[in-house]
Amino acid sequence: MLFVVGGAARSGKSTLARTLLERERVPYVSTDYVVSGLHHGAPELGIRHEDPNPGRSQKVWPILEPMARNILEVEVGYTIEGDVVVPAGVAGLRDRYPGQVRACFLAFPQWSPEHAMEIWKEYPDPINDWLAGLDQPDLLALAEEMVSYSRWLSGECARWNLPFIDVGIGRAESQAQALDELLGAGEDRLTLPTRPR
């Protein structure tokens, strides 16, 4: 089983992946590490942290997709999370591996960039608040990019019939809804094999 959590920066993707780890013992990898490795280790590929989405996603997905296939063929359960997950690619995995891929995308298509900045300040990342190092113009540029990317993701998820959660419904509500999308609810809830401690 592969869980895929995509979406805009600071929409709750890592929080959701950590919840799956804590509650269900499903390990995860952040695509941020993949992008960093490509940025610094293979500069000839032209993949940079600063590249805007969805362009960066389109460059990284051909590298992530074989990783995801390998995880599906080897792992009991694993999560890939990040802002470079491509809905069309996830739909392809879902169709190639029926019943083995659960995905959801988190974003904020209804927010203004200014509102996104306010929310980011109100809820800093408790582990790595990388936004704290950005000056106001850079923070605004990121917010504008992420709102635009959120709208693109919303349309792509509708196109490929993938769960899309607007985090504007509230932090706790969006996390609960996303967890239900990934694990199911009630009698439909997945039972994952127990991993050794």
PDB file of all heavy atoms in Angstrom, residues 89-121:
ATOM      1  N   GLY A  89       0.194  11.791 -12.473  1.00  0.00           N
ATOM      2  CA  GLY A  89       1.083  10.663 -12.180  1.00  0.00           C
ATOM      3  C   GLY A  89       0.524   9.750 -11.113  1.00  0.00           C
ATOM      4  O   GLY A  89       0.618   8.519 -11.204  1.00  0.00           O
ATOM      5  N   VAL A  90      -0.081  10.328 -10.076  1.00  0.00           N
ATOM      6  CA  VAL A  90      -0.695   9.527  -9.016  1.00  0.00           C
ATOM      7  C   VAL A  90      -1.864   8.720  -9.584  1.00  0.00           C
ATOM      8  O   VAL A  90      -2.036   7.544  -9.257  1.00  0.00           O
ATOM      9  CB  VAL A  90      -1.161  10.421  -7.846  1.00  0.00           C
ATOM     10  CG1 VAL A  90      -1.941   9.618  -6.816  1.00  0.00           C
ATOM     11  CG2 VAL A  90       0.040  11.107  -7.198  1.00  0.00           C
ATOM     12  N   ALA A  91      -2.649   9.334 -10.462  1.00  0.00           N
ATOM     13  CA  ALA A  91      -3.755   8.614 -11.094  1.00  0.00           C
ATOM     14  C   ALA A  91      -3.232   7.435 -11.906  1.00  0.00           C
ATOM     15  O   ALA A  91      -3.829   6.357 -11.917  1.00  0.00           O
ATOM     16  CB  ALA A  91      -4.566   9.558 -11.972  1.00  0.00           C
ATOM     17  N   GLY A  92      -2.095   7.622 -12.572  1.00  0.00           N
ATOM     18  CA  GLY A  92      -1.489   6.528 -13.322  1.00  0.00           C
ATOM     19  C   GLY A  92      -1.081   5.378 -12.423  1.00  0.00           C
ATOM     20  O   GLY A  92      -1.297   4.202 -12.753  1.00  0.00           O
ATOM     21  N   LEU A  93      -0.487   5.693 -11.266  1.00  0.00           N
ATOM     22  CA  LEU A  93      -0.122   4.651 -10.296  1.00  0.00           C
ATOM     23  C   LEU A  93      -1.368   3.943  -9.771  1.00  0.00           C
ATOM     24  O   LEU A  93      -1.398   2.717  -9.653  1.00  0.00           O
ATOM     25  CB  LEU A  93       0.646   5.261  -9.123  1.00  0.00           C
ATOM     26  CG  LEU A  93       2.078   5.691  -9.366  1.00  0.00           C
ATOM     27  CD1 LEU A  93       2.622   6.421  -8.140  1.00  0.00           C
ATOM     28  CD2 LEU A  93       2.962   4.498  -9.705  1.00  0.00           C
ATOM     29  N   ARG A  94      -2.388   4.720  -9.439  1.00  0.00           N
ATOM     30  CA  ARG A  94      -3.644   4.154  -8.936  1.00  0.00           C
ATOM     31  C   ARG A  94      -4.234   3.164  -9.931  1.00  0.00           C
ATOM     32  O   ARG A  94      -4.687   2.078  -9.556  1.00  0.00           O
ATOM     33  CB  ARG A  94      -4.619   5.287  -8.660  1.00  0.00           C
ATOM     34  CG  ARG A  94      -6.017   4.849  -8.245  1.00  0.00           C
ATOM     35  CD  ARG A  94      -7.024   5.964  -8.414  1.00  0.00           C
ATOM     36  NE  ARG A  94      -7.119   6.360  -9.820  1.00  0.00           N
ATOM     37  CZ  ARG A  94      -7.614   7.517 -10.238  1.00  0.00           C
ATOM     38  NH1 ARG A  94      -8.034   8.416  -9.371  1.00  0.00           N
ATOM     39  NH2 ARG A  94      -7.680   7.805 -11.525  1.00  0.00           N
ATOM     40  N   ASP A  95      -4.181   3.514 -11.219  1.00  0.00           N
ATOM     41  CA  ASP A  95      -4.750   2.647 -12.242  1.00  0.00           C
ATOM     42  C   ASP A  95      -3.878   1.419 -12.502  1.00  0.00           C
ATOM     43  O   ASP A  95      -4.381   0.344 -12.802  1.00  0.00           O
ATOM     44  CB  ASP A  95      -4.969   3.431 -13.534  1.00  0.00           C
ATOM     45  CG  ASP A  95      -5.992   4.548 -13.362  1.00  0.00           C
ATOM     46  OD1 ASP A  95      -6.739   4.544 -12.348  1.00  0.00           O
ATOM     47  OD2 ASP A  95      -6.037   5.443 -14.230  1.00  0.00           O
ATOM     48  N   ARG A  96      -2.569   1.590 -12.371  1.00  0.00           N
ATOM     49  CA  ARG A  96      -1.643   0.468 -12.604  1.00  0.00           C
ATOM     50  C   ARG A  96      -1.635  -0.515 -11.433  1.00  0.00           C
ATOM     51  O   ARG A  96      -1.390  -1.710 -11.631  1.00  0.00           O
ATOM     52  CB  ARG A  96      -0.242   1.029 -12.834  1.00  0.00           C
ATOM     53  CG  ARG A  96       0.783  -0.027 -13.153  1.00  0.00           C
ATOM     54  CD  ARG A  96       2.109   0.578 -13.531  1.00  0.00           C
ATOM     55  NE  ARG A  96       3.076  -0.470 -13.800  1.00  0.00           N
ATOM     56  CZ  ARG A  96       4.279  -0.246 -14.256  1.00  0.00           C
ATOM     57  NH1 ARG A  96       4.674   0.979 -14.517  1.00  0.00           N
ATOM     58  NH2 ARG A  96       5.109  -1.239 -14.473  1.00  0.00           N
ATOM     59  N   TYR A  97      -1.872  -0.010 -10.231  1.00  0.00           N
ATOM     60  CA  TYR A  97      -1.858  -0.846  -9.019  1.00  0.00           C
ATOM     61  C   TYR A  97      -3.206  -0.715  -8.315  1.00  0.00           C
ATOM     62  O   TYR A  97      -3.312  -0.056  -7.275  1.00  0.00           O
ATOM     63  CB  TYR A  97      -0.735  -0.418  -8.079  1.00  0.00           C
ATOM     64  CG  TYR A  97       0.651  -0.564  -8.655  1.00  0.00           C
ATOM     65  CD1 TYR A  97       1.258   0.483  -9.354  1.00  0.00           C
ATOM     66  CD2 TYR A  97       1.362  -1.748  -8.501  1.00  0.00           C
ATOM     67  CE1 TYR A  97       2.530   0.357  -9.881  1.00  0.00           C
ATOM     68  CE2 TYR A  97       2.647  -1.885  -9.021  1.00  0.00           C
ATOM     69  CZ  TYR A  97       3.217  -0.836  -9.713  1.00  0.00           C
ATOM     70  OH  TYR A  97       4.492  -0.966 -10.240  1.00  0.00           O
ATOM     71  N   PRO A  98      -4.250  -1.331  -8.854  1.00  0.00           N
ATOM     72  CA  PRO A  98      -5.597  -1.172  -8.275  1.00  0.00           C
ATOM     73  C   PRO A  98      -5.640  -1.592  -6.800  1.00  0.00           C
ATOM     74  O   PRO A  98      -5.107  -2.632  -6.424  1.00  0.00           O
ATOM     75  CB  PRO A  98      -6.467  -2.101  -9.127  1.00  0.00           C
ATOM     76  CG  PRO A  98      -5.706  -2.324 -10.382  1.00  0.00           C
ATOM     77  CD  PRO A  98      -4.246  -2.223 -10.018  1.00  0.00           C
ATOM     78  N   GLY A  99      -6.245  -0.723  -5.991  1.00  0.00           N
ATOM     79  CA  GLY A  99      -6.417  -1.017  -4.572  1.00  0.00           C
ATOM     80  C   GLY A  99      -5.172  -0.843  -3.726  1.00  0.00           C
ATOM     81  O   GLY A  99      -5.218  -1.067  -2.520  1.00  0.00           O
ATOM     82  N   GLN A 100      -4.056  -0.437  -4.324  1.00  0.00           N
ATOM     83  CA  GLN A 100      -2.808  -0.324  -3.571  1.00  0.00           C
ATOM     84  C   GLN A 100      -2.329   1.116  -3.391  1.00  0.00           C
ATOM     85  O   GLN A 100      -1.310   1.341  -2.754  1.00  0.00           O
ATOM     86  CB  GLN A 100      -1.704  -1.129  -4.259  1.00  0.00           C
ATOM     87  CG  GLN A 100      -1.906  -2.629  -4.209  1.00  0.00           C
ATOM     88  CD  GLN A 100      -0.764  -3.336  -4.914  1.00  0.00           C
ATOM     89  OE1 GLN A 100      -0.825  -3.592  -6.112  1.00  0.00           O
ATOM     90  NE2 GLN A 100       0.285  -3.615  -4.176  1.00  0.00           N
ATOM     91  N   VAL A 101      -3.031   2.069  -3.971  1.00  0.00           N
ATOM     92  CA  VAL A 101      -2.620   3.472  -3.877  1.00  0.00           C
ATOM     93  C   VAL A 101      -3.768   4.282  -3.299  1.00  0.00           C
ATOM     94  O   VAL A 101      -4.877   4.262  -3.821  1.00  0.00           O
ATOM     95  CB  VAL A 101      -2.217   4.043  -5.255  1.00  0.00           C
ATOM     96  CG1 VAL A 101      -1.853   5.516  -5.140  1.00  0.00           C
ATOM     97  CG2 VAL A 101      -1.066   3.241  -5.848  1.00  0.00           C
ATOM     98  N   ARG A 102      -3.491   4.963  -2.205  1.00  0.00           N
ATOM     99  CA  ARG A 102      -4.452   5.904  -1.615  1.00  0.00           C
ATOM    100  C   ARG A 102      -3.786   7.272  -1.606  1.00  0.00           C
ATOM    101  O   ARG A 102      -2.653   7.402  -1.165  1.00  0.00           O
ATOM    102  CB  ARG A 102      -4.800   5.506  -0.179  1.00  0.00           C
ATOM    103  CG  ARG A 102      -5.485   4.159  -0.022  1.00  0.00           C
ATOM    104  CD  ARG A 102      -6.993   4.315  -0.110  1.00  0.00           C
ATOM    105  NE  ARG A 102      -7.677   3.071   0.066  1.00  0.00           N
ATOM    106  CZ  ARG A 102      -8.388   2.740   1.132  1.00  0.00           C
ATOM    107  NH1 ARG A 102      -8.495   3.583   2.137  1.00  0.00           N
ATOM    108  NH2 ARG A 102      -9.010   1.589   1.183  1.00  0.00           N
ATOM    109  N   ALA A 103      -4.502   8.268  -2.086  1.00  0.00           N
ATOM    110  CA  ALA A 103      -3.903   9.595  -2.201  1.00  0.00           C
ATOM    111  C   ALA A 103      -4.875  10.679  -1.775  1.00  0.00           C
ATOM    112  O   ALA A 103      -6.094  10.482  -1.783  1.00  0.00           O
ATOM    113  CB  ALA A 103      -3.471   9.842  -3.646  1.00  0.00           C
ATOM    114  N   CYS A 104      -4.331  11.806  -1.406  1.00  0.00           N
ATOM    115  CA  CYS A 104      -5.118  13.021  -1.218  1.00  0.00           C
ATOM    116  C   CYS A 104      -4.198  14.217  -1.399  1.00  0.00           C
ATOM    117  O   CYS A 104      -2.984  14.116  -1.240  1.00  0.00           O
ATOM    118  CB  CYS A 104      -5.832  13.051   0.128  1.00  0.00           C
ATOM    119  SG  CYS A 104      -4.759  13.296   1.524  1.00  0.00           S
ATOM    120  N   PHE A 105      -4.802  15.320  -1.776  1.00  0.00           N
ATOM    121  CA  PHE A 105      -4.073  16.563  -1.996  1.00  0.00           C
ATOM    122  C   PHE A 105      -4.665  17.632  -1.095  1.00  0.00           C
ATOM    123  O   PHE A 105      -5.890  17.753  -0.980  1.00  0.00           O
ATOM    124  CB  PHE A 105      -4.166  16.976  -3.470  1.00  0.00           C
ATOM    125  CG  PHE A 105      -3.342  16.118  -4.377  1.00  0.00           C
ATOM    126  CD1 PHE A 105      -3.792  14.863  -4.753  1.00  0.00           C
ATOM    127  CD2 PHE A 105      -2.104  16.550  -4.828  1.00  0.00           C
ATOM    128  CE1 PHE A 105      -3.024  14.048  -5.579  1.00  0.00           C
ATOM    129  CE2 PHE A 105      -1.332  15.744  -5.648  1.00  0.00           C
ATOM    130  CZ  PHE A 105      -1.792  14.490  -6.034  1.00  0.00           C
ATOM    131  N   LEU A 106      -3.797  18.395  -0.449  1.00  0.00           N
ATOM    132  CA  LEU A 106      -4.192  19.453   0.476  1.00  0.00           C
ATOM    133  C   LEU A 106      -3.740  20.798  -0.095  1.00  0.00           C
ATOM    134  O   LEU A 106      -2.586  20.936  -0.505  1.00  0.00           O
ATOM    135  CB  LEU A 106      -3.526  19.255   1.833  1.00  0.00           C
ATOM    136  CG  LEU A 106      -3.754  17.911   2.523  1.00  0.00           C
ATOM    137  CD1 LEU A 106      -2.748  17.714   3.643  1.00  0.00           C
ATOM    138  CD2 LEU A 106      -5.151  17.832   3.059  1.00  0.00           C
ATOM    139  N   ALA A 107      -4.628  21.755  -0.109  1.00  0.00           N
ATOM    140  CA  ALA A 107      -4.243  23.079  -0.624  1.00  0.00           C
ATOM    141  C   ALA A 107      -5.291  24.113  -0.209  1.00  0.00           C
ATOM    142  O   ALA A 107      -6.261  23.791   0.487  1.00  0.00           O
ATOM    143  CB  ALA A 107      -4.074  23.033  -2.137  1.00  0.00           C
ATOM    144  N   PHE A 108      -5.095  25.340  -0.646  1.00  0.00           N
ATOM    145  CA  PHE A 108      -5.952  26.453  -0.215  1.00  0.00           C
ATOM    146  C   PHE A 108      -6.310  27.352  -1.397  1.00  0.00           C
ATOM    147  O   PHE A 108      -5.883  28.506  -1.481  1.00  0.00           O
ATOM    148  CB  PHE A 108      -5.266  27.260   0.892  1.00  0.00           C
ATOM    149  CG  PHE A 108      -3.767  27.335   0.791  1.00  0.00           C
ATOM    150  CD1 PHE A 108      -3.159  28.318   0.016  1.00  0.00           C
ATOM    151  CD2 PHE A 108      -2.962  26.427   1.458  1.00  0.00           C
ATOM    152  CE1 PHE A 108      -1.772  28.392  -0.082  1.00  0.00           C
ATOM    153  CE2 PHE A 108      -1.571  26.489   1.356  1.00  0.00           C
ATOM    154  CZ  PHE A 108      -0.981  27.476   0.588  1.00  0.00           C
ATOM    155  N   PRO A 109      -7.144  26.842  -2.311  1.00  0.00           N
ATOM    156  CA  PRO A 109      -7.466  27.607  -3.519  1.00  0.00           C
ATOM    157  C   PRO A 109      -8.319  28.846  -3.275  1.00  0.00           C
ATOM    158  O   PRO A 109      -8.343  29.746  -4.120  1.00  0.00           O
ATOM    159  CB  PRO A 109      -8.222  26.595  -4.384  1.00  0.00           C
ATOM    160  CG  PRO A 109      -8.810  25.636  -3.414  1.00  0.00           C
ATOM    161  CD  PRO A 109      -7.814  25.537  -2.299  1.00  0.00           C
ATOM    162  N   GLN A 110      -9.009  28.925  -2.145  1.00  0.00           N
ATOM    163  CA  GLN A 110      -9.895  30.062  -1.878  1.00  0.00           C
ATOM    164  C   GLN A 110      -9.196  31.195  -1.132  1.00  0.00           C
ATOM    165  O   GLN A 110      -9.758  32.281  -0.997  1.00  0.00           O
ATOM    166  CB  GLN A 110     -11.113  29.591  -1.056  1.00  0.00           C
ATOM    167  CG  GLN A 110     -11.897  28.457  -1.681  1.00  0.00           C
ATOM    168  CD  GLN A 110     -12.437  28.798  -3.050  1.00  0.00           C
ATOM    169  OE1 GLN A 110     -12.905  29.908  -3.284  1.00  0.00           O
ATOM    170  NE2 GLN A 110     -12.359  27.849  -3.962  1.00  0.00           N
ATOM    171  N   TRP A 111      -7.995  30.960  -0.633  1.00  0.00           N
ATOM    172  CA  TRP A 111      -7.312  31.976   0.149  1.00  0.00           C
ATOM    173  C   TRP A 111      -6.686  33.033  -0.746  1.00  0.00           C
ATOM    174  O   TRP A 111      -6.296  32.767  -1.874  1.00  0.00           O
ATOM    175  CB  TRP A 111      -6.199  31.355   0.988  1.00  0.00           C
ATOM    176  CG  TRP A 111      -6.671  30.535   2.144  1.00  0.00           C
ATOM    177  CD1 TRP A 111      -7.952  30.344   2.543  1.00  0.00           C
ATOM    178  CD2 TRP A 111      -5.840  29.796   3.037  1.00  0.00           C
ATOM    179  NE1 TRP A 111      -7.976  29.523   3.644  1.00  0.00           N
ATOM    180  CE2 TRP A 111      -6.700  29.172   3.962  1.00  0.00           C
ATOM    181  CE3 TRP A 111      -4.471  29.599   3.144  1.00  0.00           C
ATOM    182  CZ2 TRP A 111      -6.219  28.369   4.999  1.00  0.00           C
ATOM    183  CZ3 TRP A 111      -3.990  28.793   4.169  1.00  0.00           C
ATOM    184  CH2 TRP A 111      -4.864  28.192   5.089  1.00  0.00           C
ATOM    185  N   SER A 112      -6.535  34.223  -0.199  1.00  0.00           N
ATOM    186  CA  SER A 112      -5.710  35.236  -0.841  1.00  0.00           C
ATOM    187  C   SER A 112      -4.272  34.995  -0.369  1.00  0.00           C
ATOM    188  O   SER A 112      -4.057  34.372   0.680  1.00  0.00           O
ATOM    189  CB  SER A 112      -6.161  36.638  -0.418  1.00  0.00           C
ATOM    190  OG  SER A 112      -5.875  36.842   0.958  1.00  0.00           O
ATOM    191  N   PRO A 113      -3.284  35.495  -1.097  1.00  0.00           N
ATOM    192  CA  PRO A 113      -1.907  35.356  -0.620  1.00  0.00           C
ATOM    193  C   PRO A 113      -1.707  35.963   0.770  1.00  0.00           C
ATOM    194  O   PRO A 113      -0.991  35.398   1.607  1.00  0.00           O
ATOM    195  CB  PRO A 113      -1.086  36.100  -1.685  1.00  0.00           C
ATOM    196  CG  PRO A 113      -1.916  35.995  -2.918  1.00  0.00           C
ATOM    197  CD  PRO A 113      -3.343  36.075  -2.447  1.00  0.00           C
ATOM    198  N   GLU A 114      -2.363  37.079   1.033  1.00  0.00           N
ATOM    199  CA  GLU A 114      -2.222  37.731   2.342  1.00  0.00           C
ATOM    200  C   GLU A 114      -2.781  36.850   3.456  1.00  0.00           C
ATOM    201  O   GLU A 114      -2.200  36.756   4.546  1.00  0.00           O
ATOM    202  CB  GLU A 114      -2.928  39.093   2.335  1.00  0.00           C
ATOM    203  CG  GLU A 114      -2.284  40.116   1.411  1.00  0.00           C
ATOM    204  CD  GLU A 114      -2.587  39.897  -0.082  1.00  0.00           C
ATOM    205  OE1 GLU A 114      -3.544  39.157  -0.417  1.00  0.00           O
ATOM    206  OE2 GLU A 114      -1.838  40.459  -0.900  1.00  0.00           O
ATOM    207  N   HIS A 115      -3.913  36.193   3.183  1.00  0.00           N
ATOM    208  CA  HIS A 115      -4.493  35.294   4.181  1.00  0.00           C
ATOM    209  C   HIS A 115      -3.577  34.090   4.418  1.00  0.00           C
ATOM    210  O   HIS A 115      -3.399  33.661   5.564  1.00  0.00           O
ATOM    211  CB  HIS A 115      -5.887  34.835   3.748  1.00  0.00           C
ATOM    212  CG  HIS A 115      -6.575  33.987   4.777  1.00  0.00           C
ATOM    213  ND1 HIS A 115      -6.963  34.489   6.005  1.00  0.00           N
ATOM    214  CD2 HIS A 115      -6.919  32.674   4.773  1.00  0.00           C
ATOM    215  CE1 HIS A 115      -7.521  33.526   6.707  1.00  0.00           C
ATOM    216  NE2 HIS A 115      -7.503  32.410   5.980  1.00  0.00           N
ATOM    217  N   ALA A 116      -2.998  33.559   3.351  1.00  0.00           N
ATOM    218  CA  ALA A 116      -2.057  32.440   3.503  1.00  0.00           C
ATOM    219  C   ALA A 116      -0.909  32.850   4.421  1.00  0.00           C
ATOM    220  O   ALA A 116      -0.528  32.096   5.326  1.00  0.00           O
ATOM    221  CB  ALA A 116      -1.521  32.012   2.135  1.00  0.00           C
ATOM    222  N   MET A 117      -0.371  34.039   4.230  1.00  0.00           N
ATOM    223  CA  MET A 117       0.727  34.512   5.073  1.00  0.00           C
ATOM    224  C   MET A 117       0.302  34.622   6.532  1.00  0.00           C
ATOM    225  O   MET A 117       1.060  34.260   7.437  1.00  0.00           O
ATOM    226  CB  MET A 117       1.234  35.858   4.553  1.00  0.00           C
ATOM    227  CG  MET A 117       1.943  35.747   3.217  1.00  0.00           C
ATOM    228  SD  MET A 117       2.266  37.348   2.422  1.00  0.00           S
ATOM    229  CE  MET A 117       3.226  38.198   3.656  1.00  0.00           C
ATOM    230  N   GLU A 118      -0.917  35.104   6.773  1.00  0.00           N
ATOM    231  CA  GLU A 118      -1.420  35.209   8.147  1.00  0.00           C
ATOM    232  C   GLU A 118      -1.520  33.837   8.797  1.00  0.00           C
ATOM    233  O   GLU A 118      -1.127  33.650   9.962  1.00  0.00           O
ATOM    234  CB  GLU A 118      -2.802  35.866   8.155  1.00  0.00           C
ATOM    235  CG  GLU A 118      -2.800  37.340   7.838  1.00  0.00           C
ATOM    236  CD  GLU A 118      -4.213  37.899   7.686  1.00  0.00           C
ATOM    237  OE1 GLU A 118      -5.182  37.228   8.113  1.00  0.00           O
ATOM    238  OE2 GLU A 118      -4.344  39.000   7.120  1.00  0.00           O
ATOM    239  N   ILE A 119      -2.057  32.872   8.073  1.00  0.00           N
ATOM    240  CA  ILE A 119      -2.197  31.511   8.608  1.00  0.00           C
ATOM    241  C   ILE A 119      -0.830  30.898   8.869  1.00  0.00           C
ATOM    242  O   ILE A 119      -0.609  30.243   9.891  1.00  0.00           O
ATOM    243  CB  ILE A 119      -3.022  30.627   7.639  1.00  0.00           C
ATOM    244  CG1 ILE A 119      -4.450  31.162   7.515  1.00  0.00           C
ATOM    245  CG2 ILE A 119      -3.011  29.170   8.067  1.00  0.00           C
ATOM    246  CD1 ILE A 119      -5.270  31.112   8.786  1.00  0.00           C
ATOM    247  N   TRP A 120       0.107  31.097   7.957  1.00  0.00           N
ATOM    248  CA  TRP A 120       1.451  30.550   8.148  1.00  0.00           C
ATOM    249  C   TRP A 120       2.095  31.121   9.405  1.00  0.00           C
ATOM    250  O   TRP A 120       2.789  30.406  10.130  1.00  0.00           O
ATOM    251  CB  TRP A 120       2.333  30.844   6.942  1.00  0.00           C
ATOM    252  CG  TRP A 120       1.901  30.147   5.683  1.00  0.00           C
ATOM    253  CD1 TRP A 120       1.023  29.101   5.580  1.00  0.00           C
ATOM    254  CD2 TRP A 120       2.308  30.449   4.353  1.00  0.00           C
ATOM    255  NE1 TRP A 120       0.876  28.733   4.271  1.00  0.00           N
ATOM    256  CE2 TRP A 120       1.647  29.547   3.491  1.00  0.00           C
ATOM    257  CE3 TRP A 120       3.165  31.396   3.809  1.00  0.00           C
ATOM    258  CZ2 TRP A 120       1.838  29.557   2.107  1.00  0.00           C
ATOM    259  CZ3 TRP A 120       3.355  31.412   2.433  1.00  0.00           C
ATOM    260  CH2 TRP A 120       2.698  30.497   1.597  1.00  0.00           C
ATOM    261  N   LYS A 121       1.863  32.397   9.682  1.00  0.00           N
ATOM    262  CA  LYS A 121       2.428  32.995  10.902  1.00  0.00           C
ATOM    263  C   LYS A 121       1.735  32.468  12.151  1.00  0.00           C
ATOM    264  O   LYS A 121       2.353  32.268  13.185  1.00  0.00           O
ATOM    265  CB  LYS A 121       2.317  34.526  10.840  1.00  0.00           C
ATOM    266  CG  LYS A 121       3.290  35.151   9.865  1.00  0.00           C
ATOM    267  CD  LYS A 121       3.103  36.649   9.782  1.00  0.00           C
ATOM    268  CE  LYS A 121       3.981  37.245   8.694  1.00  0.00           C
ATOM    269  NZ  LYS A 121       3.698  38.653   8.443  1.00  0.00           N
TER     270      LYS A 121
END
